[in-house]
Amino acid sequence: MYDIKDIDAVFVSTSDFQHAIHTIEAVHAGKDVYVEKPLADTMEDARAVLKAVKDSKRIVQIGSQRRSGLNYFAANDFIKSGKFGDIVMVELTWNVNQPGRWRRPDLVAKLKEEDTDWKRFLLNRPYEPFNARHYLEYRLFWPYSSGIPGQWLCHQIDTVHWFTGLPHPRSVVVNGGNYLWKDGRENADTFTAVFDYGPLDDLTKGFQVLFKSRQTNSGVLNGEEVKEIYYSNGGTLNLDTNNISATGGLTEEYARAMGMKANLLPDISLNNIRVGTAANTGGDVVTMAHIRNWMECVRNRKEPNAPIEAGYNHSIAVIMANAAYRTGERVIFDDKQQEVIAGGKVFKY
């Protein structure tokens, strides 16, 4: 396909662990790329694809469509203006209850090795004999996918990086497991991560990010299955309702008692164009805007809304969370080595 001169650009929407390698192949072939998330599940792949894209000067858009949502632009501008105040907490939730979403038992039973190119599928993952479930239901199994982090965390944590300019978490701890779906899967059906974010050179400043997701019940209190809420001492920025408000902010009464001035935020509505958050998003408005942005950049050679660095940074957070879940350790990132460190060791498979 890459020998066809009329092909200028490609979409990469293959299995999670293949995204980075397929993007490398595409840019080496001189093609621009729209690559779905997660960009990479290992730091080795993340570093390789970052270098390949930067060296190639191809136009690469990461499939983090929130970066083309007008409400997210408005939130980013408001936070960066300083009007919101310092972020003190971020709560991220993405719950899904679709047992068949990642399961294909009927197809698994029919799939034969001769129907596939199994070695090509494995790419740089350790060799194992043909496994139809790993081929078709890869999101349930490591090292073909991290599951929840690579599917949903990467979307929401990307907004934290975008709004704050911070490249990655300082640390993360995780709890979770397979509490309901006893179907042989290796990735969690319930996953809670607590990240520490802040300046990498000043540990006295920062905030927590709480991410929680379950595949056992899709509801959350008072709303839909997805929540993105930013808190400052002055109030709340809610990307589910698209409202900025004084909710939870420092009131006149308490400010007076502390010898301070109240810093309650005004009530502001963000644009009423929002990203599709349902598990089956289809062709929502923001995804279409994100693809259009990429296609425009293919023509004008400008940087797209979600450049390769955005994918590299969300990959760090995903890999850190996956490492914390698999090792039970508090995980950090070594900027010098560009490696995820769990229990004092570089995290691999």
Side-chain angles (χ1 to χ4, degrees):
M1 183 181 73
Y2 288 146
D3 290 335
I4 302 173
K5 293 182 180 180
D6 289 340
I7 295 177
D8 299 315
V10 297
F11 285 85
V12 172
S13 56
T14 49
S15 300
D16 289 358
F17 74 99
Q18 299 172 337
H19 292 168
I21 297 170
H22 288 166
T23 299
I24 292 169
E25 292 175 347
V27 298
H28 282 172
K31 311 302 179 185
D32 297 323
V33 183
Y34 183 107
V35 54
E36 290 292 0
K37 51 76 212 164
L39 177 63
D41 275 335
T42 68
M43 286 309 305
E44 180 182 7
D45 290 348
R47 291 191 301 269
V49 70
L50 177 67
K51 183 178 188 304
V53 172
K54 299 293 283 185
D55 289 348
S56 72
K57 296 182 172 55
R58 305 312 304 175
I59 300 299
V60 174
Q61 175 91 297
I62 308 300
S64 301
Q65 64 264 40
R66 280 164 167 71
R67 290 196 179 226
S68 293
L70 297 186
N71 57 330
Y72 286 88
F73 280 126
N76 179 52
D77 290 344
F78 190 82
I79 289 173
K80 282 193 167 71
S81 73
K83 296 176 183 177
F84 186 64
D86 292 339
I87 296 169
V88 298
M89 181 73 182
V90 182
E91 292 182 350
L92 307 173
T93 303
W94 201 317
N95 297 326
V96 176
N97 192 8
Q98 297 176 348
R101 181 171 174 80
W102 293 350
R103 290 294 312 279
R104 296 291 186 270
D106 291 343
L107 286 176
V108 166
K110 296 174 183 177
L111 185 67
K112 308 299 181 186
E113 183 172 4
E114 54 266 30
D115 299 326
T116 73
D117 186 341
W118 176 242
K119 289 184 179 180
R120 169 65 177 159
F121 172 81
L122 291 175
L123 293 179
N124 64 351
R125 293 308 186 255
Y127 177 78
E128 66 162 323
F130 175 73
N131 187 314
R133 290 200 70 191
H134 290 178
Y135 187 88
L136 283 173
E137 299 177 346
Y138 61 87
R139 284 199 177 98
L140 301 177
F141 301 98
W142 175 253
Y144 310 109
S145 171
S146 60
I148 286 173
Q151 182 71 4
W152 294 303
L153 167 65
C154 62
H155 273 305
Q156 293 185 323
I157 209 70
D158 178 64
T159 65
V160 177
H161 299 158
W162 180 23
F163 294 171
T164 66
L166 297 170
H168 58 74
R170 294 190 295 209
S171 67
V172 62
V173 292
V174 168
N175 208 326
N178 292 318
Y179 299 120
L180 179 65
W181 301 116
K182 308 299 185 181
D183 54 7
R185 70 180 65 191
E186 297 169 356
N187 292 332
D189 65 21
T190 305
F191 192 96
T192 300
V194 182
F195 295 91
D196 174 60
Y197 271 89
L200 303 181
D201 58 354
D202 186 355
L203 300 183
T204 67
K205 299 178 180 178
F207 58 94
Q208 274 192 349
V209 176
L210 171 65
F211 170 84
K212 54 187 186 295
S213 176
R214 62 179 179 266
Q215 296 175 304
T216 56
N217 180 298
S218 62
V220 295
L221 186 64
N222 299 324
E224 299 180 17
E225 67 271 25
V226 177
K227 294 289 183 184
E228 287 178 88
I229 305 176
Y230 286 72
Y231 299 94
S232 75
N233 190 240
T236 301
L237 189 158
N238 188 325
L239 281 159
D240 182 55
T241 62
N242 286 331
N243 288 322
I244 297 169
S245 71
T247 301
L250 183 64
T251 64
E252 292 281 359
E253 177 186 358
Y254 286 103
R256 202 162 37 243
M258 299 295 293
M260 301 167 60
K261 291 184 178 179
N263 58 346
L264 293 174
L265 292 172
D267 286 333
I268 301 173
S269 292
L270 299 172
N271 290 288
N272 289 323
I273 299 178
R274 52 180 294 183
V275 70
T277 54
N280 293 322
T281 56
D284 64 272
V285 172
V286 178
T287 299
M288 293 301 100
H290 201 52
I291 293 172
R292 182 168 57 250
N293 168 254
W294 172 62
M295 296 179 74
E296 290 170 350
C297 291
V298 167
R299 295 187 179 97
N300 62 33
R301 312 312 292 173
K302 294 182 179 179
E303 183 175 84
N305 288 342
I308 188 64
E309 291 84 359
Y312 185 76
N313 291 341
H314 85 221
S315 295
I316 295 173
V318 166
I319 296 163
M320 288 177 68
N322 187 41
Y325 172 66
R326 300 197 176 280
T327 65
E329 300 281 354
R330 176 180 176 271
V331 170
I332 62 172
F333 187 71
D334 186 317
D335 276 280
K336 185 175 181 180
Q337 296 183 73
Q338 291 293 289
E339 291 282 11
V340 169
I341 307 297
K345 300 177 182 178
V346 173
F347 176 72
K348 297 292 186 181
Y349 296 131

